[in-house]
Amino acid sequence: MSKDFIDNVLIKLKREYQKDEVLMAVIKENSDLLVELGKLKSEIDYLEHQLTLKAKENNQKFIDYKNELQKELNKEVLLDKRIAKQQETIKEKNKIIDNLRKSVSELAYKSLRK
């Protein structure tokens, strides 16, 4: 058997600890666990903070994207309105052209009759 095994296990099994030694071991273990608990709480706080920052960043990206999309939609609506207005103007101009052609035809007919 190795010396470490004898020192660490077998001697501890045979030895009876005093109350102070047991209490000190429990206090040390408690202290170690409290340190580990503190580290874990700190890690949790850090991760929650990172999560909050990421959520804010994602919200801002979403808002920016939404605003850009709204601007593009507004441009499309304005373009559609402009196209509709131009189509209406074209219809009006075509009516005027048709009326002018009729007038020219009538004038040509009248001048030929004279």
Side-chain angles (χ1 to χ4, degrees):
M1 294 187 147
S2 73
K3 191 163 184 127
D4 288 335
F5 179 76
I6 293 172
D7 290 340
N8 290 335
V9 177
L10 294 180
I11 292 177
K12 288 180 182 176
L13 289 176
K14 293 181 181 178
R15 182 169 182 251
E16 293 204 15
Y17 294 99
Q18 295 178 355
K19 288 181 183 179
D20 291 340
E21 290 176 316
V22 172
L23 184 59
M24 290 304 293
V26 170
I27 289 173
K28 181 169 180 359
E29 185 177 356
N30 187 32
S31 176
D32 292 343
L33 291 174
L34 287 175
V35 169
E36 185 67 23
L37 180 64
K39 289 178 183 178
L40 292 174
K41 284 182 180 180
S42 176
E43 183 70 17
I44 288 170
D45 289 342
Y46 172 76
L47 292 174
E48 286 176 346
H49 177 69
Q50 291 297 321
L51 187 63
T52 303
L53 290 178
K54 195 67 168 171
K56 286 180 183 178
E57 181 182 331
N58 287 342
N59 285 340
Q60 188 60 42
K61 284 182 181 179
F62 176 74
I63 290 170
D64 292 344
Y65 177 75
K66 182 179 160 189
N67 290 339
E68 285 296 318
L69 184 61
Q70 189 64 41
K71 286 179 186 177
E72 290 298 319
L73 289 175
N74 288 342
K75 286 180 185 177
E76 291 292 324
V77 168
L78 290 175
L79 185 62
D80 288 346
K81 286 181 181 179
R82 195 176 306 151
I83 290 171
K85 189 175 182 179
Q86 287 176 349
Q87 287 175 342
E88 191 172 312
T89 304
I90 290 171
K91 285 180 184 178
E92 290 173 4
K93 299 295 180 186
N94 283 337
K95 285 181 184 178
I96 292 171
I97 290 171
D98 287 341
N99 289 338
L100 290 173
R101 283 186 182 151
K102 286 180 186 177
S103 297
V104 167
S105 295
E106 287 175 6
L107 288 173
Y109 179 71
K110 284 182 184 179
S111 70
L112 286 176
R113 286 185 88 199
K114 288 185 179 184

